[in-house]
Amino acid sequence: MFKAIIIEKDEAGYRANLKDVDESQLPEGDVTVRVSHSTLNYKDGLAITGRGPVVRKFPMVPGIDLAGIVEESSNPAFKVGDAVLLNGWGVGEGHWGGLAQKARLKGDWLIPLPSQFTAQQAMAIGTAGYTAMLCVLALERHGVTPEHGEILVTGAAGGVGSVAVSILSKLGFTVVGVTGRPEESEYIKSLGATEVIDRSVFSTPGKPLARERWAGAVDVVGSHTLANVCASTKYRGVVTACGLAGGMDFPATVAPFILRGVSLVGIDSVMCPRADRLVAWQRLGVDLDLAKLNLITNEIGLAEAISTAGQLIDGKVRGRVIVNVNS
Ligand code: NDP
């Protein structure tokens, strides 16, 4: 038996509970992992609370990421005792995920735990941090350098935002954070932002083109915020869009793209090819200051993940939440 958060949906309603599960109930897969840590990402919050249509099969174990030790493997790439890491691939949505003491997975989804990190540190980064790195890599791929000017990071007190601010500042960029929580301004500055702007500046309908300011941006919010970020991005600047914390819509015009040559780059971490994941995790090992990772992180136990999920979706959680599945 092992402990897991189980999401069920039936006549009795949508609910998440901590349960004891028999190992025979684990889904198919060629690698069984003894999970040590998972995390709470925005998507996990939606899954646990049922506030977004994330779960595609019931019963489901949520948890879109995990770190642990291989316990059984018929996959030639992994042997018993290997330390591994997983992000995405629909795990925690359509296949039982990481908010459990055990997981059975396709070995092709796993990557070796990078040697720079403990399992706990890798989960402090988690899918949110790996997505932040994918955004930074996209800015670099499109030629944005610190000399081009300021980089805007929205949702800066959240998981993706906190890690993005930390990485970009370590790389020498001038970073401006956006937050709806002015009380977190000092926290965002401690991660490396030089200025923090209130969310309300971006969250209402704006003009098709605004004063050019940003050389690049990492946006986790979507909706009017993303439209206003594009409208205020400098000639040939680059906006990476990875989130929908403020809405799924994109009420924008084409003006920034056709008059200023702004590029809008979509970022997906879930189906991202393995080679790109390995690069992102290798770069996290180099470009993320581990002292800052400590500032970003809180650790909770498996049972607490259920109550914390609602707080996360309400935008009340700062930084990243590690879930120690054995406490
Ligand atoms: P968090 O909840 O940790 O952070 C989201 C932050 O967004 C909040 O902390 C808050 O920051 C801000 N925010 C919340 N609600 C609103 C709102 N209504 N309007 C404006 N800002 C808001 O989530 P994550 O960092 O884990 O994820 C952020 C987004 O990125 C989510 O939408 C998530 O689904 C997406 N995501 C996408 C991935 C991909 O593969 N494309 C992978 C990982 C995440 P503040 O308090 O500073 O304003």
Side-chain angles (χ1 to χ4, degrees):
M1 301 291 282
F2 65 94
K3 291 198 183 302
I5 293 179
I6 300 279
I7 300 175
E8 292 162 290
K9 187 186 176 190
D10 51 30
E11 321 70 66
Y14 191 103
R15 59 201 183 278
N17 289 297
L18 183 65
K19 292 199 169 176
D20 288 312
V21 182
D22 193 277
E23 216 168 304
S24 62
Q25 288 180 257
L26 280 169
E28 288 200 359
D30 53 3
V31 180
T32 305
V33 177
R34 191 168 68 247
V35 180
S36 65
H37 298 84
S38 182
T39 83
L40 271 189
N41 295 278
Y42 194 84
K43 205 182 244 180
D44 302 315
L46 291 175
I48 291 171
T49 58
R51 279 156 69 175
V54 167
V55 178
R56 300 195 299 272
K57 262 186 358 199
F58 298 90
M60 179 55 56
V61 175
I64 64 168
D65 44 24
L66 63 87
I69 301 291
V70 172
E71 204 171 70
E72 282 175 36
S73 172
S74 57
N75 184 307
F78 296 99
K79 61 179 190 320
V80 174
D82 284 350
V84 292
L85 171 63
L86 174 133
N87 301 106
W89 295 116
V91 172
E93 302 177 55
H95 184 101
W96 281 19
L99 288 167
Q101 292 171 322
K102 266 188 201 190
R104 187 166 294 141
L105 305 150
K106 274 195 191 170
D108 295 350
W109 296 337
L110 298 168
I111 62 170
L113 181 73
S115 58
Q116 298 92 333
F117 302 122
T118 63
Q120 188 194 34
Q121 287 168 331
M123 287 296 101
I125 296 166
T127 297
Y130 141 69
T131 303
M133 191 75 234
L134 291 176
C135 293
V136 173
L137 290 168
L139 292 174
E140 288 182 354
R141 199 166 60 243
H142 286 79
V144 181
T145 65
E147 292 67 43
H148 286 102
E150 297 166 302
I151 308 294
L152 189 72
V153 176
T154 62
V160 174
S162 293
V163 179
V165 170
S166 305
I167 298 170
L168 287 162
S169 70
K170 181 156 185 226
L171 288 171
F173 287 95
T174 304
V175 187
V176 176
V178 178
T179 187
R181 291 180 275 177
E183 68 278 14
E184 299 295 2
S185 292
E186 285 312 308
Y187 161 74
I188 297 166
K189 285 184 180 165
S190 74
L191 301 179
T194 52
E195 184 184 340
V196 177
I197 300 177
D198 194 89
R199 180 197 289 180
S200 60
V201 171
F202 294 90
S203 59
T204 51
K207 294 183 185 156
L209 289 173
R211 183 173 72 83
E212 292 179 55
R213 179 158 181 195
W214 319 114
V218 172
D219 179 60
V220 309
V221 176
S223 193
H224 291 296
T225 297
L226 179 56
N228 287 324
V229 170
C230 291
S232 52
T233 294
K234 290 208 282 196
Y235 191 79
R236 289 211 160 179
V238 181
V239 178
T240 56
C242 72
L244 44 56
M248 182 93 130
D249 57 334
F250 181 40
T253 77
V254 295
F257 313 114
I258 64 172
L259 298 176
R260 291 185 180 160
V262 167
S263 295
L264 179 58
V265 184
I267 303 296
D268 167 59
S269 66
V270 180
M271 303 307 287
C272 175
R274 185 184 166 85
D276 294 9
R277 289 168 188 257
L278 292 170
V279 170
W281 276 100
Q282 183 269 330
R283 284 288 304 272
L284 281 160
V286 178
D287 297 324
L288 181 61
D289 183 343
L290 288 182
K292 284 190 182 160
L293 194 57
N294 287 336
L295 293 178
I296 291 173
T297 313
N298 298 300
E299 185 168 313
I300 60 171
L302 199 49
E304 284 168 274
I306 297 172
S307 54
T308 310
Q311 295 165 24
L312 187 114
I313 298 304
D314 290 338
K316 293 191 175 130
V317 169
R318 170 165 119 176
R320 297 275 305 131
V321 181
I322 307 177
V323 181
N324 180 338
V325 300
N326 298 308
S327 81

